[in-house]
Amino acid sequence: FVGFPFMSTFKNSTAKGNVESTGWSTGGFSGDGCECSFTNCIAYGNAKADDWNLGGFIGFNNANKIENCTAYGDVTSTVTNWNPKAGGFVGTNCSDSVIKNSHAAGTVTGSNDKGMAGGFVAHDDNGTTEGCSFDKTKNPTLNAIGSTAREGKNDIIEKDTNEILADICIDSLGGHSFDDGWVIDKEASCTEEGSKSHHCIRCNAKTDITVIEKVSHADIKLVKTEGKKATHMTDGVIDYW
């Protein structure tokens, strides 16, 4: 969407293409950035680079304010000889940078013996995060933060895929979008009640959860099966319904 913005404002903006770079500081929405504001912006595409500072949303976050933003795409670094600083949302989060209520939903690949990738932040340099999350289901071996120069103030929660998508619905997309059709979540039986609900088409959240009554024996038609005698070759059976 943008390479290097300075003192700029972005709101309700969307980047849908994949990004691939041979250079320093690459992101799915913004490569670099200084003293900017990003609000309700979304990067849908994958981000790939063979240099450091790579993020699903922004590569190098320098004194920016980011709020209610999302990175859906996968992040892939091919760096081998130095710390790749590859993160699900941001490569390096610097001092005076604040990220609020933002989420990383992709798979992050980019750890090597020089540095670990991060599920949300690759490299923390006294940055701030509040109410953020990343997909732990897709990144079971990653922590929220890959490496730290100066520890900032961080609030990043690891969640499963549906939980992440639910966060995105609330924080970036204005709420859930529930389908009109009923989904049977649990079939009723003669011994247990079932349940049905309407599901969000984006994150599978549920609403209008409704009990399905137990199946009544009075509603079941009984059909008789005739018994047969046992023989030296086969078992027998009594009459049953």
Side-chain angles (χ1 to χ4, degrees), residues 8-94:
S8 302
T9 298
F10 302 90
K11 189 174 182 179
N12 301 326
S13 300
T14 299
K16 289 193 173 181
N18 296 325
V19 178
E20 189 167 347
S21 171
T22 60
W24 178 87
S25 194
T26 302
F29 189 91
S30 179
D32 204 329
C34 183
E35 298 181 32
C36 296
S37 171
F38 302 83
T39 306
N40 281 108
C41 296
I42 299 176
Y44 283 96
N46 301 322
K48 182 178 181 181
D50 60 4
D51 210 333
W52 68 353
N53 288 328
L54 169 65
F57 188 84
I58 186 169
F60 190 77
N61 193 30
N62 184 17
N64 298 308
K65 302 297 184 288
I66 300 176
E67 191 166 3
N68 298 95
C69 293
T70 292
Y72 275 107
D74 296 335
V75 175
T76 305
S77 173
T78 57
V79 170
T80 57
N81 296 325
W82 55 86
N83 187 345
K85 297 182 181 179
F89 191 88
V90 57
T92 294
N93 198 32
C94 294

Side-chain angles (χ1 to χ4, degrees), residues 164-215:
I164 288 289
L165 295 178
D167 284 347
I168 293 169
C169 272
I170 298 301
D171 291 331
S172 295
L173 299 174
H176 296 298
S177 179
F178 291 106
D179 192 276
D180 292 335
W182 288 101
V183 175
I184 304 299
D185 299 307
K186 180 182 178 182
E187 293 281 357
S189 70
C190 59
T191 58
E192 293 185 335
E193 294 175 333
S195 64
K196 63 180 180 179
S197 62
H198 293 119
H199 287 213
C200 176
I201 61 175
R202 293 190 293 253
C203 72
N204 211 34
K206 302 174 185 178
T207 190
D208 302 327
I209 298 174
T210 302
V211 171
I212 302 174
E213 297 294 332
K214 295 178 184 178
V215 177

Side-chain angles (χ1 to χ4, degrees), residues 97-132:
S97 293
V98 180
I99 306 173
K100 292 184 178 181
N101 302 325
S102 296
H103 312 285
T107 300
V108 185
T109 305
S111 297
N112 62 26
D113 58 354
K114 306 296 191 299
M116 289 291 294
F120 191 84
V121 175
H123 189 67
D124 178 24
D125 190 7
N126 197 33
T128 298
T129 57
E130 300 177 14
C132 298

Side-chain angles (χ1 to χ4, degrees), residues 228-236:
K228 62 177 181 178
K229 292 182 178 182
T231 71
H232 69 290
M233 297 290 291
T234 62
D235 293 334

Side-chain angles (χ1 to χ4, degrees), residues 225-230 235-240:
T225 299
E226 297 289 345
K228 62 177 181 178
K229 292 182 178 182
D235 293 334
V237 64
I238 62 172
D239 295 347
Y240 67 91

